[in-house]
Amino acid sequence: MSIAPSLRNNLPAQVSSFIGRERELADVARLLRDQRIVTLTGSGGAGKTRLAFQAAAAKQNHFADGVWLVELAPLSVPDFVTDAIAKAVGMPDPGEAPLQSALSTYLSRKRMLLVFDNCEHLLAECARVVSTLVAQCPGVRVLCTSREPLSIAGEWVLRVPPLSLPETSQTLASDDAISYDAVRLFVERARAAEPSFRFSDVTAAPVVEICRRLDGIPLALELAAGRVRGMGVAYLGERLDDRFRLLKSADVTGAPRQRTLLALVDWSYGLLSAPERVVLRRLAVFHGSFDADAAKFVCAGEYDGTEGRATIGSDAVFDALTRLVDKSLVQFDQSGERYRMLETIRLFAAEHLDEAGETNFTNRQHVGYFLQLAEMYALADSAELNTWFKRIELEHDNLRAALDWAIRAAWSHEAARLVLDLWPFWRARTYQREGLNWLERVRELDEAHPLPLEMRPRLYNALGILANGVHALERARSYQAEALRLWTEAGDTAGMAQALFDIGWQQWDAVDLVSAKMNADASLSLAESIADKRLIASALLLAGLVDAHLGNTAPAIPALERALTLWRALRDVDSIASAEGVLATAYLREGDLERARSLLADAAHIHFQTPSSTLTGTLVGLMFLAEASARSREQMRDVARVVGALTAYDAATSLEPSPWLQSAENLALAARLTQALGKEDFERMFAEGERLTSAGLLALAQRITAPSGASEAAHDAAPTAAHDALTPREREVLRLAAQGLTNNEIARELTITPRTANAHLTAIYSKLGVTSRSGAIRYAIEHQLG
């Protein structure tokens, strides 16, 4: 289950100091207070992104629903701008509903700041999306960085100037020179590159000259500072001056500072060895971050050297990569052991890649590497899926880029292999809408560039499953019917069994139980004929689920027990938990509470501690068990909490509320809870359940599934509400926050620092199971804690 983080922002932690920009920070703060759309413009490398992050971080406490960064640089397709926003703010998958409309609805009652970074390559789409959001979401403000304005109504543009510099005629001592921000930045970065570097009256003059020549542009200064090692500032200044005169007129149409930055990057490129140049330009095909293995695979191979064709091997690629890090042309994240190129550098490298005639070759390498990665994921044991999910998530931007290039290059076979390997990830990590889009693009490609016959039914089967996941029911039925037809035509028994199972599951979701049972039985018969354990277990699970729901426990329990045995033999952890949840419900219908407890305890432990898209069965089982076991008011409150959690999970994963939540059985349960607790208490507990984090759900499940005596003791010992876990100081902080005080005002009131106040609020969010200040305030009001 995907749980929102406790922090109210996703801004990256900065690994180096922020220097200067006091005036610009004040201007951004003022504009964000008074205006809805603020765009920071300037040349590449002017420091727009860093300024935006610093300004946004300073405004966190002014936006009850947080500050959220939307990184646009990794995106190559305008269609995914809205998807990137939805993902950044944690919006549930809207299914088949128009994404822009769903996003506007989701944000319409939010009070948040969105930071759009690197809009320039997607300018028209960014302008459209920002205009729409601001018009429809009154509490949303937008801070953009772009090389040019969005040019939309209501936009306030702030040009990011160079860092402060001494006047040209000034000759300054080191103590005076260091007071200028450009000099301070260069000196600090030069010391980081070469610890023996000393800024003195002797080195002040060449440093000031370098800063002037680079116009105080932060990225240019950082790149130049990286060259201090092994060159010294005096010689660096001489080379810089010569190179600038040579390249000054290279682009007569661009702004002067753009020409200056490009000249510096081109100069840095010119100083590289041939292998370093090859690696730098080939790294341009990566989107977002990448690791050393990917770089070695993609960048290795032949190239045109000064003496004819030459070859760079993987070891040489890695050596060149580390040197590029030293020269500040590639960034390395120590914590994640991943590399990244600044977008300005990446675009520069991409131009040289094209000039070298290597674009197609390198993209083919890129597709090849990420195709191997996707296939390794697809073959992984189910016990390893969580590790692979994290890896695929990390590489998602590169996988998107590889897939997009393969489709545009009409590589239908490679594109199909990628989507067929990745669709289970898209399904499990709630990328169903995006996954369906990719699959349909490949289906369209298949029409012009036919796929091998054995791939086509797998493609339609995946299309059907993802279409069903977003409740595109007509498309889902059509796709699965085609998959069944193709597998039947090919005489593929396993494929036919798979298609019948998936058709049956769609019918279960549509509450067509008779048809679902019929197709489950048909799938089981085919699976048994070929002794396919995975298909047998799947069909048994669906058949047992239908029978258990209908009260036919005599056939349901043996079927579900057999399915569970098979899943355990297959080591499919997620399916084990699903089977346990369904089997527990069947035992509950027979009145065997103890067996149900044991099964649900294990299912909850798996599902609430690992990413999963199949929580419904476990939550339903916990709901039934909680009511069947309830002997006190607090235990009845737990039933209401589970109902709230189940409803929230359904809303997060479905386009429309599940028909099962509106069944007569569930409505009768709600009526019983209202009678037992009273309407107000039931609604409070329901709301608590909706807000529960994974840890909170696990704790709730452990109470419900504890043996009957232990369960009552746990309730006696456990807090009756989440706020009982707050310390006295945390209660004071929450009370003041509920009265509308800011962090600074809370700090003054309690004689603590703002940082301590923020730390208390972070702890409060975690304990209450909320993710924002507004959520904590709502909780305080609901529980009369203000």
Side-chain angles (χ1 to χ4, degrees):
M1 183 175 185
S2 177
I3 300 298
S6 60
L7 297 178
R8 294 184 300 131
N9 77 86
N10 63 342
L11 298 172
Q14 301 304 307
V15 296
S16 59
S17 58
F18 184 81
I19 293 175
R21 301 291 194 199
E22 288 83 4
R23 177 180 295 178
E24 289 80 16
L25 283 170
D27 288 342
V28 176
R30 173 179 53 79
L31 287 171
L32 286 176
R33 183 185 66 237
D34 301 329
Q35 309 301 328
R36 300 283 308 285
I37 308 169
V38 179
T39 301
L40 307 183
T41 65
S43 62
K48 304 181 293 294
T49 294
R50 190 68 188 272
L51 175 60
F53 289 178
Q54 195 76 11
K59 300 290 288 184
Q60 289 181 68
N61 293 331
H62 296 266
F63 294 90
D65 295 298
V67 174
W68 303 102
L69 168 64
V70 182
E71 292 187 293
L72 300 173
L75 298 183
S76 58
V77 182
D79 293 346
F80 291 140
V81 170
T82 308
D83 295 76
I85 302 168
K87 193 69 178 177
V89 301
M91 186 187 82
D93 193 320
E96 199 177 21
L99 186 56
Q100 178 69 66
S101 175
L103 180 62
S104 295
T105 300
Y106 180 76
L107 297 179
S108 62
R109 296 185 179 180
K110 302 287 185 183
R111 186 166 176 265
M112 64 171 58
L113 173 64
L114 298 179
V115 182
F116 288 71
D117 190 33
N118 288 302
C119 297
E120 52 271 358
H121 64 302
L122 301 167
L123 202 65
E125 181 65 5
C126 288
R128 184 192 68 79
V129 171
V130 169
S131 293
T132 302
L133 288 179
V134 170
Q136 298 178 358
C137 310
V140 171
R141 297 187 182 226
V142 178
L143 176 62
C144 299
T145 73
S146 178
R147 295 183 195 175
E148 59 181 302
L150 302 186
S151 298
I152 56 178
E155 180 187 32
W156 281 71
V157 179
L158 178 66
R159 185 181 68 85
V160 179
L163 294 174
S164 60
L165 288 163
E167 294 293 332
T168 303
S169 59
Q170 286 180 288
T171 300
L172 300 174
S174 59
D175 287 344
D176 295 323
I178 201 70
S179 65
Y180 291 90
D181 293 336
V183 176
R184 286 172 56 205
L185 177 64
F186 181 89
V187 169
E188 180 169 312
R189 301 302 190 260
R191 285 173 176 163
E194 180 49 67
S196 65
F197 171 72
R198 294 291 179 267
F199 185 62
S200 65
D201 289 345
V202 174
T203 57
V207 167
V208 169
E209 183 64 17
I210 290 169
C211 293
R212 286 174 180 156
R213 292 290 183 181
L214 299 181
D215 291 329
I217 297 175
L219 177 58
L221 294 171
E222 298 204 14
L223 288 169
R227 303 299 298 162
V228 169
R229 184 190 310 143
M231 186 178 289
V233 292
Y235 186 61
L236 173 63
E238 293 173 9
R239 292 293 303 273
L240 188 62
D241 185 52
D242 291 339
R243 194 60 172 172
F244 272 9
R245 280 202 300 269
L246 179 64
L247 298 177
K248 191 84 170 178
S249 61
D251 179 10
V252 297
T253 63
R257 290 188 176 85
Q258 288 179 313
R259 298 203 302 270
T260 300
L261 178 60
L262 289 175
L264 174 62
V265 178
D266 196 37
W267 168 71
S268 298
Y269 185 74
L271 291 177
L272 299 178
S273 66
E276 289 169 348
R277 292 185 190 184
V278 171
V279 172
L280 182 67
R281 65 180 181 246
R282 290 180 178 179
L283 291 175
V285 300
F286 287 102
H287 288 251
S289 64
F290 54 92
D291 62 19
D293 288 340
K296 290 191 289 186
F297 185 97
V298 171
C299 298
E302 291 188 347
Y303 65 95
D304 285 326
T306 56
E307 299 179 0
R309 296 295 287 173
T311 300
I312 181 169
S314 60
D315 289 341
V317 168
F318 182 70
D319 291 341
L321 179 62
T322 57
R323 291 195 296 272
L324 291 171
V325 172
D326 288 340
K327 296 172 182 179
S328 299
L329 290 169
V330 175
Q331 297 177 316
F332 179 63
D333 176 10
Q334 293 282 354
S335 61
E337 297 188 351
R338 292 180 69 80
Y339 299 84
R340 180 185 295 271
M341 294 176 76
L342 294 171
E343 186 63 9
T344 300
I345 304 297
R346 193 191 71 80
L347 294 173
F348 174 89
E351 291 182 3
H352 281 265
L353 185 70
D354 197 48
E355 289 173 5
E358 296 177 342
T359 300
N360 286 339
F361 164 78
T362 311
N363 274 294
R364 287 196 297 268
Q365 296 279 91
H366 185 262
V367 170
Y369 178 81
F370 285 101
L371 184 55
Q372 288 183 18
L373 183 73
E375 288 177 343
M376 289 173 66
Y377 153 71
L379 294 172
D381 187 283
S382 61
E384 302 171 338
L385 278 184
N386 288 329
T387 299
W388 274 102
F389 277 166
K390 292 176 183 177
R391 177 69 189 279
I392 296 299
E393 187 79 63
L394 201 60
E395 301 288 6
H396 205 183
D397 287 326
N398 277 308
L399 286 159
R400 287 164 167 154
L403 185 50
D404 182 60
W405 191 87
I407 292 171
R408 287 187 292 106
W411 281 20
S412 58
H413 186 260
E414 288 76 8
R417 287 167 62 192
L418 273 168
V419 295
L420 290 175
D421 288 337
L422 290 174
W423 77 262
F425 163 79
W426 289 325
R427 182 192 188 197
R429 285 299 179 96
T430 65
Y431 289 102
Q432 291 98 327
R433 186 188 185 92
E434 178 182 341
L436 185 59
N437 176 273
W438 285 119
L439 285 160
E440 290 185 328
R441 285 183 65 184
V442 173
R443 181 183 61 81
E444 292 168 2
L445 184 61
D446 171 47
E447 295 174 359
H449 303 275
L451 294 170
L453 291 178
E454 66 273 13
M455 298 184 79
R456 298 187 72 243
R458 292 176 56 207
L459 177 65
Y460 279 96
N461 178 248
L463 279 161
I465 291 172
L466 290 192
N468 188 61
V470 301
H471 288 195
L473 300 181
E474 288 302 319
R475 273 190 286 171
R477 281 191 283 269
S478 173
Y479 289 143
Q480 287 295 4
E482 180 64 6
L484 179 59
R485 185 190 71 79
L486 289 168
W487 268 322
T488 302
E489 192 175 88
D492 186 331
T493 303
M496 294 162 62
Q498 182 67 58
L500 288 167
F501 166 76
D502 289 319
I503 291 170
W505 198 264
Q506 290 170 7
Q507 291 162 338
W508 162 265
D509 286 341
V511 203
D512 183 357
L513 303 187
V514 173
S515 298
K517 182 64 164 61
M518 179 184 68
N519 280 302
D521 289 343
S523 175
L524 179 61
S525 178
L526 290 173
E528 295 275 24
S529 73
I530 57 173
D532 187 314
K533 293 181 179 178
R534 184 170 294 277
L535 286 171
I536 291 170
S538 298
L540 286 168
L541 180 64
L542 178 56
L545 175 63
V546 176
D547 277 332
H549 180 77
L550 295 173
N552 302 325
T553 55
I557 289 176
L560 293 169
E561 286 179 336
R562 186 183 172 202
L564 181 56
T565 299
L566 288 170
W567 288 128
R568 285 172 174 163
L570 293 166
R571 298 177 59 211
D572 189 324
V573 177
D574 190 63
S575 295
I576 289 169
S578 296
E580 287 176 331
V582 177
L583 181 56
T585 301
Y587 278 128
L588 280 171
R589 290 190 180 276
E590 284 210 330
D592 193 338
L593 271 62
E594 293 312 308
R595 282 192 179 181
R597 284 185 208 282
S598 176
L599 288 164
L600 283 169
D602 193 54
H605 180 78
I606 293 171
H607 272 158
F608 300 147
Q609 290 194 319
T610 59
S612 171
S613 60
T614 52
L615 295 178
T616 303
T618 298
L619 286 170
V620 169
L622 286 170
M623 181 177 70
F624 290 152
L625 175 61
E627 187 186 24
S629 306
R631 298 293 182 272
S632 66
R633 182 181 183 84
E634 187 56 37
Q635 288 175 321
M636 287 299 288
R637 284 178 166 177
D638 274 348
V639 183
R641 291 181 178 109
V642 179
V643 174
L646 180 60
T647 304
Y649 176 72
D650 181 72
T653 55
S654 303
L655 176 63
E656 297 290 341
S658 168
W660 298 107
L661 293 180
Q662 302 302 315
S663 66
E665 187 176 29
N666 277 18
L667 292 175
L669 172 60
R672 291 195 297 274
L673 288 169
T674 302
Q675 183 177 8
L677 299 174
K679 184 174 184 295
E680 185 178 346
D681 196 18
F682 168 56
E683 290 177 350
R684 277 203 306 270
M685 296 306 102
F686 183 96
E688 276 192 18
E690 287 184 305
R691 294 191 299 263
L692 283 174
T693 62
S694 290
L697 280 171
L698 183 59
L700 176 61
Q702 288 171 339
R703 288 206 303 271
I704 293 170
T705 58
S708 55
S711 176
E712 292 171 9
H715 274 290
D716 291 340
T720 59
H723 60 264
D724 287 345
L726 299 179
T727 66
R729 176 63 86 183
E730 288 166 350
R731 283 175 173 269
E732 278 293 293
V733 171
L734 178 59
R735 179 180 62 80
L736 294 172
Q739 292 173 7
L741 274 66
T742 66
N743 280 17
N744 287 338
E745 291 168 337
I746 291 171
R748 286 196 296 270
E749 182 76 16
L750 299 179
T751 320
I752 57 177
T753 67
R755 178 175 294 187
T756 300
N758 186 63
H760 282 313
L761 282 168
T762 300
I764 289 167
Y765 300 158
S766 178
K767 292 179 180 180
L768 297 185
V770 300
T771 59
S772 66
R773 192 185 197 94
S774 61
I777 291 172
R778 283 195 299 272
Y779 184 98
I781 293 170
E782 289 171 1
H783 292 80
Q784 301 179 348
L785 302 177

